[in-house]
């Protein structure tokens, strides 16, 4: 796939019969009322989803969208207008609407548009998943159904879906920058329903990324995902009530990294810190975690769900160290907040679509590995909880309190993993939970590629990762007081 | 653009290209939002959007597609692509449009639009500013703000199908919200308040929204954990509504035929305390969830779903009704890129007679919940475990704020253990409830 900004620019321009000069004129209109900065964001997206239930692929959907937005920044003010009609005229109208907020004294000259973005492609795919024939996807879903039902006769229904999308973005700014990105995305999701007499349970598993369709066949991933979903459903049938109260909790490697996303990730986003409404405001350089903890946000990992060649403001993504050996070292920034805080943008300015304004968001957030083996970590806990699979999480960035809900967990009794327990929510305090991490495993794993993060009504794909860790004194919300 | 004519045109093209049946939804509208923070303009956003969602059948196979490109040539290709996709899916004997005789005969005017409300950008900003100012003015411990926002939207909806139904309606909405931040002794808390209405005149006064937001925020200052215990839990109306949301998902068609609901096979059975009476009413004038016909062109209505604690009706669309051998309840909701699915319109728990103050007074030692977080609800089993924020009640009085705790139980037990229902129902959103007291839940803390 061609991915250079120049190619992408000419594609969008040809499609809408626009010239580079006309776009510069739109930017000139946008900054005319003395704004600091303006940009135009073009987006076109095709999404396709197929789903199976009761043994047949009965649902297929495809969605096509395109649109453009003009944004104007002046001091700490933002004006944004967007439309799904892309013409010189609608862009000019958008520019005039968006600039209504600008009453600054600065004078901004529009720099002639020129692509300077270094060519980088973190997800070069021979065939993007959107281009794979429907029949191949249908066949995959049918195989999953058979595999799941063969796993155990108690599996009574299987819901499987494959969702793929292709998104092209082009960003042109008043400082002359032109950036583009072509973003493929694939996600496979399997849910199994298990029934045993009157007891029912469900288990879900899945994965994906900015990958080719063959990803699901590499190392028979589809089989692993299917068996995991079936295994979790069956396991749930025999789960006992979860404990209630403050416990030592061992989090398994991979997706439990959602802890980092909720407990510290959101609280380190630049907008909240500029406004000083985060529990982490003004805490750069302070100790916020145990020395064992180093946490990074890295948007440059090849083929990962949370990765981007450039963010939605055209800044190349990077690797930001958020916490280094326990000390808070960085925030996640977009352009606006970086400028107002006298910091550098970190390539974390993201938006759901052209209908939304960008803001600081995470990409792939994970903790670097430590030295303990997972076995030693479990053995070190006399009585506690071993949680390996999670549903979603949420955080109040101001009070710092966060929750994340375990969907697969076991009791640890005398250093051994024993009975499975029902799902329970775990709750903690972001600024101090990482200080109570007493062991970090050598088994860092990134999640399979299923995460979606919501903030102020905008959803974006993200990744998380974690080695096995031990956290002391986390409140477990079960029913066994 | 005449959306009705466009709809007819697309369905006509689909028929010519060989579709055996089809329906579509078109929405077109604009929305605006303006944000103030610390007394200054922070953001203004304006959007113009339109979208079409098309469902075509090739016999018993179907597909759904969505686009925003309404040009003649693009729509022609769009129809072809939709049919190709439909032919690729498996035949499903339960699929199809509703019976022609069930379609709505008329489209009542439910007074969902306020076209007289013409505010300038300055007036909208002024309302947001007034709300934020009121929050700051009401308590000196309000020291910061995430801002106040005024938003409004206007939308035209058209639904048409190949059985000849074509209906449309117009809606408007207005909202005002404030998120103040309070601090004291190094601790910081935020909360919010909002008002959202179809008509501008029904919007809560800006000052009242600001004051309420401040009051909710300040009362959280100094919150602490409580010890792990079983205790009564009183849900304030905003969070009691979330219990109804879980009820609604559990009685919606898809969850039932997929057997992913803890209320499976419970129709006609006791699922809640005697006093519980829950309804879904689509035709309340000017209400946020009201609509004259559903996402498949069926007339909407009032459905009593729980009466005297007995589950009396599910919420169904045509497909799930056929799967369950029942009739649609007129609850089909239509998104652009997905098949119609049952959902709520205006869904609420009828109020009781007890004032909320008396409910609090009835608790010797327990929790008054004001916010819930996280996703710890298992729809299949009803197992429930969520993060909570609230106020601790001691001897019938609010004693101190609490946080970093969870409340847990099982939804079926919780519904059955609803001990008291408040008299304070206010329909602030599409799902609403008065204050509710549950006799006992597990609270986890320290």
């Amino acid at each position: 796939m061609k991915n250079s900004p120049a190619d992408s620019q000419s594609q969008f321009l040809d499609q809408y019969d626009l010239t580079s000069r006309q776009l510069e004129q739109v930017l000139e209109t946008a900054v005319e009322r003395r704004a600091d900065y303006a940009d135009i964001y073009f987006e076109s997206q095709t999404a396709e989803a197929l789903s199976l239930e009761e043994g047949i692929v009965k649902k297929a959907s495809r969605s096509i969208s395109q649109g453009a937005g003009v944004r104007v920044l002046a001091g700490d003010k933002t004006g944004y207008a967007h439309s799904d009609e892309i013409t010189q005229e609608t862009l000019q109208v958008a520019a005039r609407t968006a600039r209504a907020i600008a009453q600054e004294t600065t004078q901004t000259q529009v720099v002639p548009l020129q692509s300077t973005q270094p060519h980088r492609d973190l997800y070069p795919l021979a065939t993007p998943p959107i281009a794979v024939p429907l029949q191949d996807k249908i066949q995959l879903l049918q195989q999953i159904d058979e595999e799941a039902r063969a796993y155990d006769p108690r599996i009574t229904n299987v819901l499987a879906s494959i969702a793929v999308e292709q998104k092209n973005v082009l960003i042109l700014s008043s400082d002359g920058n032109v950036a583009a990105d072509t973003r493929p995305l694939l996600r496979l999701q399997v849910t199994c329903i298990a029934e045993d007499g009157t007891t029912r349970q469900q288990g879900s598993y899945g994965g994906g990324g900015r990958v080719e369709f063959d990803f699901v066949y590499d190392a028979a991933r589809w089989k692993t995902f299917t068996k995991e979903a079936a295994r979790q459903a069956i396991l749930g049938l025999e789960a006992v009530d979860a404990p209630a109260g403050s416990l030592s909790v061992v989090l398994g490697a991979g997706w439990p990294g959602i802890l980092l996303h909720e407990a510290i990730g959101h609280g380190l986003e630049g907008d909240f810190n500029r406004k000083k409404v985060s529990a982490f405001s003004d805490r750069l350089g302070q100790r916020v975690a145990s020395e064992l903890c180093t946490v990074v946000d890295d948007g440059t990992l090849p083929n990962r769900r949370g990765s981007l060649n450039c963010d939605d403001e055209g800044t190349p993504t990077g690797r930001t160290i958020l916490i280094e050996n326990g000390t808070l070292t960085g925030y996640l920034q977009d352009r606006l907040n970086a400028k107002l805080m006298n910091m550098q943008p970190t390539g974390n300015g993201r938006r759901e679509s052209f209908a939304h304004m960008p803001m600081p968001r995470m990409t792939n957030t994970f903790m670097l590995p430590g030295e303990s083996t997972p076995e030693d970590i479990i053995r070190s806990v006399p009585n506690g909880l071993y949680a390996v699979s999670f549903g979603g999480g949420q955080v109040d960035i101001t009070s710092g309190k966060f929750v994340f809900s375990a969907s697969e967990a076991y009791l640890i009794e005398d250093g051994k993993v024993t009975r499975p327990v029902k799902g329970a929510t775990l709750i903690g305090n972001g600024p101090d939970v990482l200080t109570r991490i007493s062991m970090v495993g050598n088994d860092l794993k990134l999640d399979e590629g299923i995460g979606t993060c919501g903030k102020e009504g905008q959803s974006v794909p993200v990744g998380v990762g974690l080695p096995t860790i031990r956290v002391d004194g986390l409140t477990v919300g079960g029913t066994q007081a | 653009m005449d959306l009705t004519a466009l709809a007819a045109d697309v369905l006509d093209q689909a028929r010519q290209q060989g579709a055996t049946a089809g329906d579509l939804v078109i929405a077109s509208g604009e929305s605006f939002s303006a944000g103030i923070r610390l007394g200054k303009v922070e953001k203004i956003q304006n959007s113009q959007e339109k979208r079409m969602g098309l469902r075509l059948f090739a016999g018993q196979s179907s597909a759904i597609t969505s686009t925003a490109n309404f040009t003649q040539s693009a729509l022609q290709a769009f129809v072809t692509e939709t049919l190709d996709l439909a032919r690729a899916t498996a035949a499903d004997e339960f699929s199809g449009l509703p019976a022609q005789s069930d379609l709505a005969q008329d489209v009542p005017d439910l007074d969902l639009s306020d076209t007289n409300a013409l505010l300038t950008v300055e007036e909208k900003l002024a309302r947001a500013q007034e709300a934020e100012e009121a929050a700051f003015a009401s308590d000196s411990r309000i020291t910061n703000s995430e801002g106040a926002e005024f938003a409004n939207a206007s939308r035209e909806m058209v639904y048409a199908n190949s059985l000849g139904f074509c209906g449309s309606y117009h809606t408007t909405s207005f909202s005002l919200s404030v998120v103040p931040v309070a601090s004291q002794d190094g601790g910081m808390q935020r909360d919010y308040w909002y008002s959202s209405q179809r008509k501008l005149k029904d919007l809560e006064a800006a000052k009242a929204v600001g004051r309420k937001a401040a009051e909710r925020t300040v009362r959280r200052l100094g919150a602490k954990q409580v010890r792990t215990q079983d205790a009564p839990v009183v849900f304030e109306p905003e969070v009691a509504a979330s219990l109804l949301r879980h009820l609604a998902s559990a009685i919606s068609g898809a969850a039932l035929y997929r057997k992913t609901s803890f209320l499976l096979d419970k129709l006609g059975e006791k699922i809640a305390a005697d006093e519980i009476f829950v309804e879904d009413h689509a035709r309340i004038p000017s209400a946020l969830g009201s609509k004259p016909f559903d996402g498949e062109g069926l007339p909407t209505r009032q459905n009593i779903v729980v009466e005297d604690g007995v589950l009396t009706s599910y919420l169904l669309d045509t497909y799930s009704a056929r799967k369950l051998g029942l009739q649609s309840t007129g609850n089909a909701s239509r998104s652009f890129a997905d098949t119609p699915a049952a959902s709520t319109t205006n869904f609420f728990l009828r109020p009781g007679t007890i004032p909320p103050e008396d409910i609090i007074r009835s608790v010797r030692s327990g929790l008054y919940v004001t916010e819930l977080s996280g996703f710890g609800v298992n729809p299949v089993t009803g197992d429930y475990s969520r993060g909570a924020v609230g106020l601790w009640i001691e001897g019938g009085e609010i004693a101190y704020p609490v946080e970093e705790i969870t409340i847990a139980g099982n939804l079926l037990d919780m519904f059955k253990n609803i001990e008291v229902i408040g008299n304070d129902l206010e329909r602030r959103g599409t799902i609403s409830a008065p204050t509710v007291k549950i006799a006992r839940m597990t609270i986890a803390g320290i």
Side-chain angles (χ1 to χ4, degrees):
Chain A
M1 292 297 290
K2 288 264 170 77
N3 204 28
S4 87
D7 287 343
S8 200
Q9 185 181 356
S10 56
Q11 271 171 26
F12 272 102
L13 262 50
D14 288 352
Q15 189 179 347
Y16 301 110
D17 207 13
L18 294 163
T19 65
S20 199
R21 181 62 207 129
Q22 285 176 321
L23 297 181
E24 285 168 8
Q25 285 165 351
V26 171
L27 290 168
E28 280 160 9
T29 302
V31 298
E32 202 174 280
R33 292 249 295 255
R34 301 183 167 183
D36 300 328
Y37 172 88
D39 59 17
I40 311 174
Y41 173 88
F42 287 97
E43 179 188 274
S44 74
Q45 185 190 31
T46 304
E48 180 187 277
L50 288 165
S51 53
L52 168 143
E53 62 178 41
E54 299 173 314
I56 56 171
V57 177
K58 58 169 86 156
K59 212 150 97 175
S61 68
R62 187 187 275 266
S63 174
I64 305 158
S65 71
Q66 74 279 318
V70 179
R71 182 175 63 144
V72 176
L73 300 181
D76 58 3
K77 301 189 197 72
T78 306
Y80 190 64
H82 65 88
S83 170
D84 50 30
E85 292 280 352
I86 303 178
T87 64
Q88 165 77 352
E89 197 190 335
T90 57
L91 290 172
Q92 284 287 2
V93 169
R96 282 193 290 271
T97 310
R99 75 180 183 189
I101 48 103
Q103 293 152 352
E104 298 296 303
T105 48
T106 49
Q107 283 281 10
T108 301
Q109 288 292 328
V110 173
V111 178
L113 293 168
Q114 191 173 16
S115 167
T116 52
Q117 183 184 317
H119 186 65
R120 169 169 81 172
D121 196 349
L122 298 169
Y123 19 87
L125 307 185
T127 310
I130 196 84
V132 170
L134 285 171
Q135 280 313 324
D136 295 9
K137 294 164 185 161
I138 290 172
Q139 194 188 340
L140 167 72
L141 296 178
Q142 280 162 346
Q143 283 176 319
I144 288 172
D145 187 67
E146 286 163 29
E147 183 78 18
R149 288 173 194 271
Y151 181 87
D152 192 300
R154 288 172 291 175
I155 299 296
T156 54
N157 198 4
V158 182
L159 312 175
S161 65
I162 181 156
V164 298
E165 66 173 56
Q166 183 83 358
K167 190 183 213 179
N168 297 314
V169 304
L170 172 69
I171 303 115
L172 309 114
S173 64
S174 58
D175 57 10
N177 189 37
V178 179
D181 201 357
T182 299
R183 301 168 181 166
L185 194 63
L186 174 148
R187 182 181 160 159
L188 178 64
Q189 181 78 25
V190 186
T191 297
C192 292
I193 319 291
E195 244 180 292
D196 194 355
T198 55
T199 313
R200 282 192 319 277
Q201 261 296 358
Q202 67 176 2
S204 290
Y205 206 80
R210 304 196 183 280
V211 294
E212 293 195 28
F213 179 68
D214 281 346
F215 168 88
V216 300
Y217 286 107
D218 292 343
R221 273 198 189 87
W222 70 274
K223 273 193 185 180
T224 314
F225 294 172
T226 305
K227 285 179 178 166
E228 266 300 303
R231 188 188 60 76
Q232 287 189 23
I234 298 289
L235 183 84
L237 292 172
E238 58 195 60
V240 299
D241 286 345
S246 180
L247 286 175
S248 284
V249 175
V250 176
L251 296 176
W255 180 239
I258 188 170
L259 164 84
L260 303 173
H261 181 99
E262 305 299 350
I264 61 153
H266 280 297
L268 298 180
E269 289 165 344
D271 45 355
F272 298 132
N273 286 283
R274 171 179 59 88
K275 297 173 184 173
K276 297 189 193 294
V277 295
S278 166
F280 288 96
S281 298
D282 296 323
R283 297 199 59 183
L284 275 184
Q286 291 182 21
R287 185 70 179 273
V288 295
S290 94
E291 274 180 357
L292 301 170
C293 298
T294 295
V295 180
V296 302
D297 182 86
D298 191 340
T300 69
L301 304 175
N303 303 105
R304 301 301 307 190
R305 183 174 165 86
S307 296
L308 302 169
N309 287 313
C310 66
D311 72 6
D312 298 321
E313 301 181 295
T315 307
T317 50
R319 181 181 173 100
T320 306
I321 301 178
L322 300 173
I323 294 173
E324 189 164 20
N325 301 323
T327 302
L328 184 60
T329 51
Y331 293 136
L332 298 171
Q333 295 289 11
D334 62 359
R335 269 192 92 96
L336 173 76
N337 291 287
K339 182 173 182 228
L340 294 169
M341 291 178 83
N342 280 319
M343 290 179 175
Q344 288 300 310
T346 55
N348 289 85
R350 303 183 64 184
R351 53 177 130 199
E352 178 178 311
S353 79
F354 70 91
H356 303 87
M357 294 197 272
M359 57 184 158
R361 304 296 294 264
M362 284 170 264
T363 59
N364 304 295
T365 315
F366 53 95
M367 180 181 288
L368 299 190
E371 300 190 340
S372 306
T373 65
E375 296 76 27
D376 284 346
I377 296 177
I378 290 166
R379 211 172 295 137
S380 76
V381 177
N383 280 295
L385 190 78
Y386 177 48
V388 292
S389 192
F390 281 85
Q394 199 179 329
V395 62
D396 176 333
I397 46 104
T398 304
S399 71
K401 306 299 178 276
F402 69 94
V403 291
F404 58 136
S405 301
S407 53
E408 181 184 355
Y410 304 82
L411 295 176
I412 303 178
E413 295 170 294
D414 294 329
K416 291 191 190 68
V417 173
T418 61
R419 291 167 292 171
V421 296
K422 288 180 183 172
T425 287
L426 276 55
I427 190 162
N429 181 34
D432 77 35
V433 68
L434 299 193
T435 63
R436 285 185 277 108
I437 291 179
S438 54
M439 294 176 92
V440 175
N442 57 11
D443 58 340
L444 168 64
K445 209 175 109 186
L446 299 176
D447 75 287
E448 302 279 7
I450 52 161
T452 296
C453 167
K455 174 179 172 184
E456 292 171 26
Q458 294 194 42
S459 295
V460 296
V462 294
V464 297
L466 193 72
T468 298
I469 59 169
R470 174 180 165 167
V471 192
D472 295 312
L474 201 54
T475 296
V476 178
T479 50
Q480 283 303 102
Chain B
M1 191 185 298
D2 182 349
L3 300 181
T4 317
L6 180 71
D9 197 41
V10 170
L11 286 172
D12 201 42
Q13 273 193 41
R15 192 180 44 77
Q16 283 171 22
Q17 291 192 33
T20 54
D23 66 355
L24 59 80
V25 58
I26 305 175
S28 170
E30 55 186 317
S31 59
F32 174 89
S33 70
I36 288 277
R37 181 172 174 264
L38 304 180
K40 294 196 320 194
V41 181
E42 187 187 33
K43 58 188 173 188
I44 287 178
Q45 185 166 356
N46 202 329
S47 77
Q48 299 278 346
E49 274 186 281
K50 60 185 188 317
R51 187 150 276 276
M52 176 188 300
L54 175 67
R55 176 171 64 157
L56 292 182
F57 292 87
Q60 301 281 74
S61 298
S62 67
I64 293 255
T65 52
S66 123
T67 185
N69 190 342
F70 291 2
T71 58
Q72 191 73 29
S73 59
L75 285 175
Q76 191 141 11
F78 176 65
V79 167
T80 310
E81 201 171 283
T82 311
L83 258 177
D84 287 347
L85 202 57
R87 291 182 178 123
T89 64
D92 181 349
E93 57 172 316
F94 298 99
S95 75
L97 298 177
Q100 185 148 26
S101 55
D102 291 342
L103 294 169
Q105 300 299 311
D106 54 12
V107 177
D109 179 4
L110 298 174
D111 200 14
L112 304 177
S113 137
D114 184 0
T115 43
N116 299 324
L118 298 171
L119 289 181
T120 63
V121 172
E122 287 69 28
E123 285 167 326
K124 294 172 186 177
L125 284 166
R127 288 196 183 218
Q129 190 149 9
E130 192 183 351
E132 196 196 42
E133 260 171 27
F136 274 102
S138 73
D139 198 298
S140 62
R141 290 168 293 175
I142 301 293
T143 53
N144 199 348
S145 162
E146 280 211 46
E149 187 177 282
F150 182 95
N152 67 297
S154 159
R155 199 180 206 209
E156 174 81 14
M157 287 282 302
V158 175
Y159 171 82
N161 66 26
S162 57
L163 298 173
F165 180 89
C166 183
S168 70
Y169 59 97
H170 187 256
T171 61
T172 53
S173 63
F174 301 85
S175 73
L176 178 63
S177 61
V178 198
V179 187
V181 174
S183 57
Q184 180 178 279
D185 304 330
M188 206 165 37
Q189 295 286 352
R190 73 166 180 195
D191 210 306
Y192 69 98
W193 194 244
Y194 69 98
S195 176
S196 178
Q197 296 288 350
R198 291 246 169 262
K199 305 220 166 205
L200 182 63
K201 68 174 171 49
D202 295 332
L203 212 56
E204 242 175 278
K207 277 195 175 66
V209 173
R211 276 197 294 264
K212 187 85 187 266
E215 185 189 309
R216 291 176 63 86
T217 306
V218 167
R219 71 179 177 181
R220 294 173 62 154
L221 285 168
K224 55 187 184 184
Q225 285 184 291
V226 288
R227 66 179 171 77
T228 301
Q229 60 190 289
D230 282 357
V233 178
V234 179
F235 290 72
E236 74 156 21
E238 287 290 301
V239 289
S242 73
L243 298 176
L244 284 209
R245 228 166 264 133
H246 301 314
L247 172 67
S249 340
I251 61 169
S252 73
L256 295 161
Y257 80 75
R258 287 178 184 147
K259 301 188 175 185
T260 53
S261 164
F262 69 96
L263 292 177
L264 185 67
D265 300 330
K266 295 267 193 289
L267 200 60
E269 284 183 30
K270 189 95 183 189
I271 61 151
D274 286 343
E275 297 74 23
I276 304 294
F277 199 107
V278 180
E279 65 178 282
D280 184 73
H281 194 334
R283 294 202 165 179
I284 300 171
S286 308
L288 282 167
S290 294
K291 45 187 174 182
F293 51 86
D294 83 348
E296 296 178 302
L298 298 186
T300 49
R301 60 195 203 194
Q302 177 185 24
N303 288 298
I304 310 297
V305 301
V306 179
E307 190 169 359
D308 299 331
V310 173
L311 181 61
T312 51
S313 174
Y314 295 142
L315 299 176
L316 304 173
D317 57 290
T318 298
Y319 181 79
S320 61
R322 284 183 190 146
K323 295 285 287 183
L324 296 164
L326 298 166
Q327 295 293 313
S328 170
T329 57
N331 281 93
S333 165
R334 186 71 183 267
S335 63
F336 297 107
D338 205 350
T339 45
S343 80
T344 56
T345 60
N346 298 294
F347 191 76
F348 56 96
L349 169 60
R350 286 200 192 163
T353 52
I354 316 290
E357 307 79 54
D358 289 0
I359 299 181
I360 290 171
R361 213 165 293 137
S362 76
V363 177
R364 200 169 53 80
S365 176
L367 177 66
Y368 180 69
V369 195
T370 60
E371 188 178 293
L372 289 165
S373 63
F375 303 87
V377 180
N378 183 331
V380 182
T381 60
D383 288 330
Y384 182 99
S385 165
R386 301 192 70 190
V389 168
L391 304 166
W392 195 255
I393 308 169
E394 275 303 339
E397 303 278 340
I398 299 291
Y400 51 87
V402 291
E403 64 181 3
E404 207 180 336
I405 58 169
T406 60
I407 56 171
N410 179 280
L411 282 168
L412 200 51
D413 296 336
M414 288 159 65
F415 292 150
K416 286 182 175 168
N417 286 325
I418 291 178
E419 210 174 65
V420 193
I421 302 165
N423 65 356
D424 53 344
L425 175 71
E426 248 189 279
R427 277 197 304 272
R428 297 174 37 77
T430 60
I431 298 189
S432 42
T435 299
V436 156
K437 177 186 175 189
I438 293 180
R440 193 151 289 270
M441 291 184 72
T442 305
I443 297 167
I446 39 173

